[in-house]
Amino acid sequence: MSSNPSPDVTTAFLFPGQGGFDGEALRRAKERHPQIGRVFARLDAVTEELYGSRVSEVLFGERKADLRDLLDNDPWASQVAIYGAGLAAYEILAAQGVAPDVLAGHSLGEITALVAAGAFSVEDGVRIVARRVAVIERQGGVDGRMVALAASAERTRKLLELVDEPLLAVATENHDEQTVVSGPAGILDRVVAIAGQLDVGAIEIDTPFPFHTPALAPAAPEFAAYVRKLDQRPLNRPVYSPILQRYYEPGDALADLLAEHFTRPVRFAAAVRHLRETGAEVFVEAGGRAALSKLVAKVTDGSAVRSLPTLALTGGRLALDGTLDALREAGLAAPERGGLAELLAPSVPADVFAAYWSERGHMVLELVRTELDAFRKSTEGRGTEPESRPAAAVEPEPAAAVEPEPAAEAAPAPAPEAPAAPASSARPEGYGRDQLFGELRTLYAEALEYPEDVFEDEVQLEAELGVDSVKQVELLSRVSSRYGLPPRESGFRLATYNTMGKITDFVLQQLNDRGAHTPASATG
């Protein structure tokens, strides 16, 4: 097991897996927290592509969907809903200035934790969740079940020995009195019957398939091959894995490790104990229901640990409200925590900055993340890459997992200074507009996987081609890196450069301002 990479683990965010969705709590929170709408709008683009349906319409339409309803009618939506609720809760907490020291997920929640830590984009996270479902379906996983037994892991394993079925497995070890078993439906009926004879309680888990069982081994290679094709990024927060029983490390191949989740058990109780032993005092469940909060309370019974739910209803009230109050009282919530307000806006009153950060802080964080990612890629192989260190050594504010508001409403933070362009991309003398337009069109077409001919001079990138502002910021970062452009001025507004022609003119002007010669005949 890896040692704890940080001596200052105080606050841990936990992301739930199967069963971790409360439709009514999510709907109530959506009315007051815009982060939920923004997160699910990004999920919609992928679910429409994969399933021909927007997950938001399933969850927030006229028909109120609870988890049981989703499992019966839209199994894919149940998994995306759990994932989306976890990310939405994370974004709400981040907007309130809550900075976790470590993230951890329970089964499916481990994918959410990795996305929240920046390892994959929000959209690729949906694709990973969807492919996880698809490969299990192809292996006949729909015939399996998961059952929680009121027994320790040791006693449960002895019970399974009585059945002697190789496809049965201990799937999760939640606490000393609850262990989840996964396997074929018919065989699990025998397990439940034996448990009843031994006065061991059994509860069915709300899940579309069995997870963490040897029966899924054939599905793992296909899943790993798919995830390998996605863009894996460095983590910006430490992520502890209850499955691996260690922190994810910079050199980890996440595709292979996520594939191991198919067959390896979730040792949640051991993970909570490890985090507690290394200093964690506050556990916040970022997601639906309050199952993990209750499990933490069971595991840490008798200690001074605080276990707080978010998107759950307790006593008819949204648990998120009380959790935010508790975090504020503990000094763990507020945008100015850690000197952020003093660093970015020392002359602005704290309450004004808090209101601004709650509504627009995600824009700043997303811009910084994309610019840093572009900078990192531009320096790879040139001797300027910072020395690799444990993930916990990097302590920025949480990377936003939501789409920014249109930049016309608020100017993004100044971008980090772009490195000098590589020699292969340096601009030669006589670089005219037509040539530059052609190169930019090729760059955008390859990045977006669009035909080049759709990028006409006046075509609207967002309104007509559907290129959202997050992707536009990322593409401009690539352009800046390729052509060695200076940092964009603080008054730069993305909405002003909403066509390929305007972007070309902007880049050309930047190049001209550097003193390079462009013949008048080539600017047409």
Side-chain angles (χ1 to χ4, degrees):
M1 180 188 301
S2 300
S3 60
N4 174 19
S6 170
D8 301 317
V9 172
T10 299
T11 305
F13 279 11
L14 305 177
F15 296 88
Q18 300 309 314
F21 177 74
D22 185 325
E24 180 59 28
L26 185 66
R27 283 187 290 271
R28 288 195 196 181
K30 184 175 181 288
E31 295 173 359
R32 283 179 285 156
H33 298 280
Q35 291 83 8
I36 293 177
R38 288 195 289 260
V39 167
F40 277 90
R42 294 184 70 173
L43 308 191
D44 283 342
V46 182
T47 61
E48 189 168 35
E49 166 196 320
L50 296 177
Y51 303 106
S53 176
R54 293 174 176 265
V55 70
S56 290
E57 294 175 357
V58 177
L59 302 180
F60 305 121
E62 294 183 3
R63 177 173 66 94
K64 293 185 177 181
D66 59 20
L67 185 59
R68 188 67 259 167
D69 181 60
L70 294 177
L71 290 170
D72 291 340
N73 299 290
D74 302 288
W76 65 266
S78 72
Q79 305 299 285
V80 176
I82 293 168
Y83 165 75
L87 280 183
Y90 179 80
E91 290 305 322
I92 293 169
L93 292 163
Q96 294 297 319
V98 186
D101 301 301
V102 62
L103 310 177
H106 190 291
S107 189
L108 169 64
E110 208 157 306
I111 297 173
T112 318
L114 289 168
V115 171
F120 299 101
S121 70
V122 173
E123 291 79 6
D124 280 349
V126 183
R127 295 184 179 98
I128 292 171
V129 171
R131 183 55 61 109
R132 185 173 183 255
V133 170
V135 297
I136 291 175
E137 284 183 326
R138 282 197 284 276
Q139 294 297 324
V142 291
D143 296 327
R145 296 163 50 201
M146 298 182 78
V147 173
L149 300 181
S152 67
E154 181 180 2
R155 188 180 185 192
T156 299
R157 289 189 179 92
K158 291 180 179 178
L159 189 155
L160 296 187
E161 289 174 1
L162 297 175
V163 180
D164 191 24
E165 168 53 56
L167 296 184
L168 277 177
V170 168
T172 66
E173 300 173 18
N174 286 333
H175 60 78
D176 290 342
E177 298 176 0
Q178 187 184 87
T179 305
V180 177
V181 178
S182 181
I187 298 171
L188 272 179
D189 288 338
R190 293 167 54 195
V191 172
V192 171
I194 295 173
Q197 294 294 319
L198 299 174
D199 292 326
V200 173
I203 300 175
E204 194 85 14
I205 299 294
D206 286 331
T207 175
F209 319 113
F211 295 99
H212 312 290
T213 167
L216 298 184
E222 178 187 344
F223 177 78
Y226 176 80
V227 178
R228 237 176 253 125
K229 298 176 183 177
L230 303 178
D231 184 20
Q232 178 182 325
R233 305 164 178 170
L235 298 178
N236 56 46
R237 292 280 178 192
V239 178
Y240 188 83
S241 169
I243 294 175
L244 305 177
Q245 287 293 293
R246 66 169 175 85
Y247 283 89
Y248 283 98
E249 298 172 353
D252 282 339
L254 296 183
D256 297 329
L257 294 180
L258 288 174
E260 289 184 21
H261 291 191
F262 280 51
T263 55
R264 294 180 64 166
V266 180
R267 297 180 58 206
F268 183 74
V272 171
R273 291 190 181 100
H274 174 76
L275 294 176
R276 177 69 188 98
E277 289 168 0
T278 54
E281 298 177 350
V282 179
F283 291 83
V284 182
E285 182 172 359
R289 292 194 174 175
L292 299 190
S293 305
K294 294 175 181 176
L295 292 180
V296 169
K298 286 272 192 182
V299 173
T300 62
D301 187 31
S303 68
V305 164
R306 302 193 72 174
S307 179
L308 305 169
T310 52
L311 298 179
L313 297 179
T314 56
R317 295 184 65 240
L318 184 64
L320 177 63
D321 298 336
T323 289
L324 289 175
D325 288 342
L327 292 170
R328 292 187 191 103
E329 290 174 5
L332 297 175
E336 58 271 22
R337 181 188 176 215
L340 186 59
E342 288 80 359
L343 176 65
L344 298 180
S347 62
V348 175
D351 59 339
V352 175
F353 184 82
Y356 164 80
W357 193 259
S358 177
E359 182 176 341
R360 301 185 183 277
H362 63 280
M363 293 172 55
V364 179
L365 297 175
E366 179 66 15
L367 180 63
V368 170
R369 185 195 65 74
T370 55
E371 291 284 2
L372 284 175
D373 193 45
F375 178 81
R376 176 185 61 80
K377 291 178 180 178
S378 72
T379 59
E380 287 177 350
R382 292 166 51 201
T384 58
E385 182 75 354
E387 184 179 352
S388 177
R389 337 177 252 189
V394 182
E395 296 188 9
E397 288 296 305
V402 294
E403 181 177 343
E405 295 290 337
E409 298 181 14
E417 183 175 354
S424 61
S425 62
R427 187 174 80 93
E429 291 295 321
Y431 210 127
R433 186 184 190 279
D434 290 344
Q435 182 178 348
L436 181 61
F437 181 90
E439 290 185 1
L440 293 176
R441 182 169 62 177
T442 298
L443 186 154
Y444 273 59
E446 290 177 351
L448 297 167
E449 298 184 351
Y450 287 180
E452 285 193 23
D453 57 12
V454 304
F455 292 98
E456 299 176 354
D457 200 283
E458 297 300 324
V459 69
Q460 299 279 329
L461 292 175
E462 184 162 11
E464 297 181 64
L465 298 183
V467 184
D468 63 39
S469 53
V470 174
K471 195 65 179 179
Q472 290 183 55
V473 169
E474 179 185 334
L475 289 168
L476 274 178
S477 296
R478 294 189 190 183
V479 170
S480 296
S481 177
R482 174 172 178 174
Y483 293 99
L485 302 184
R488 295 192 285 277
E489 297 179 357
S490 60
F492 178 88
R493 296 183 182 277
L494 185 65
T496 303
Y497 304 95
N498 58 353
T499 69
M500 184 57 66
K502 292 178 180 178
I503 291 172
T504 301
D505 292 337
F506 167 73
V507 174
L508 192 61
Q509 182 63 50
Q510 295 283 301
L511 293 172
N512 287 340
D513 288 346
R514 289 170 50 195
H517 173 64
T518 304
S521 61
T523 61

